[in-house]
Amino acid sequence: MASTQGLKFLADQGVAVTLHPYDYDPNADAVGLAAAAALGLDPALTLKTLMVEVDGMPGCCVLPSDRQLSMKKVAAGFAAKAAAMMPPAKAEKLTGYRVGGISPFGQKRGVPTLFDAASMGAPKVWINAGQRGLLLGIAPTEALRILRARALTLTA
């Protein structure tokens, strides 16, 4: 199994995860939903990682693959005036990951991270491991702790 910066980061923190490879579809309209379908997972517990810019500063948002970010709620969550999606090329350069394989774990430059609260009560969620076609299973409480992240309502 491939090792990624995200998996190395989690191993260094002593966090045990499960790995879930799947056939990545580069033509999928929604990568997170395609991953959930490929693995037979609940899309509400299969989380996508989106990079944002809030008042010009980078941020990371992790949310269920079947939901959409509310930029108004993202801005409020980061105590900012405005939020927008980060351009893909900038997200790749900042994180060290390719779009479709961005993980909140082990990014080249750590940035403030928010999780949507909707799935935080589940015993386990699935998040990209830092490579297209590879998810990791983790307790959401562990993900929040390791990333020093907060859980808020980020979706409309």
Side-chain angles (χ1 to χ4, degrees), residues 61-64 67-78 114-120 150-156:
C61 294
V62 185
L63 64 150
R67 296 198 176 193
Q68 298 298 315
L69 278 179
S70 161
M71 288 302 162
K72 187 175 185 178
K73 290 179 181 177
V74 169
F78 283 106
L114 298 176
F115 278 70
D116 186 71
S119 56
M120 293 296 98
R150 294 179 298 134
L152 305 168
T153 300
L154 301 175
T155 57

Side-chain angles (χ1 to χ4, degrees), residues 47-70:
L47 309 184
K48 58 186 173 183
T49 305
L50 301 176
M51 300 304 294
V52 296
E53 293 180 321
V54 286
D55 289 350
M57 300 299 293
C60 180
C61 294
V62 185
L63 64 150
S65 60
D66 61 352
R67 296 198 176 193
Q68 298 298 315
L69 278 179
S70 161

Side-chain angles (χ1 to χ4, degrees), residues 97-154:
Y97 295 124
R98 293 173 64 198
V99 169
I102 293 178
S103 176
F105 307 107
Q107 294 184 2
K108 275 181 21 180
R109 178 174 156 212
V111 300
T113 301
L114 298 176
F115 278 70
D116 186 71
S119 56
M120 293 296 98
K124 189 175 193 179
V125 293
W126 290 265
I127 304 172
N128 198 290
Q131 174 181 304
R132 292 174 175 176
L134 183 61
L135 297 184
L136 61 83
I138 189 170
T141 53
E142 277 293 273
L144 290 170
R145 182 182 68 79
I146 292 300
L147 294 170
R148 295 182 184 94
R150 294 179 298 134
L152 305 168
T153 300
L154 301 175

Side-chain angles (χ1 to χ4, degrees), residues 5-68:
Q5 284 304 114
L7 293 173
K8 289 174 188 171
F9 171 80
L10 290 164
D12 288 347
Q13 300 294 317
V15 177
V17 298
T18 57
L19 296 180
H20 305 271
Y22 67 96
D23 290 328
Y24 175 79
D25 179 1
N27 300 314
D29 289 331
V31 173
L33 291 176
L39 291 169
L41 299 172
D42 181 348
L45 300 178
T46 307
L47 309 184
K48 58 186 173 183
T49 305
L50 301 176
M51 300 304 294
V52 296
E53 293 180 321
V54 286
D55 289 350
M57 300 299 293
C60 180
C61 294
V62 185
L63 64 150
S65 60
D66 61 352
R67 296 198 176 193
Q68 298 298 315

Side-chain angles (χ1 to χ4, degrees), residues 77-102:
F78 283 106
K81 291 180 182 177
M85 291 299 299
M86 185 179 288
K90 190 172 184 179
E92 289 183 343
K93 184 176 182 181
L94 179 79
T95 64
Y97 295 124
R98 293 173 64 198
V99 169
I102 293 178

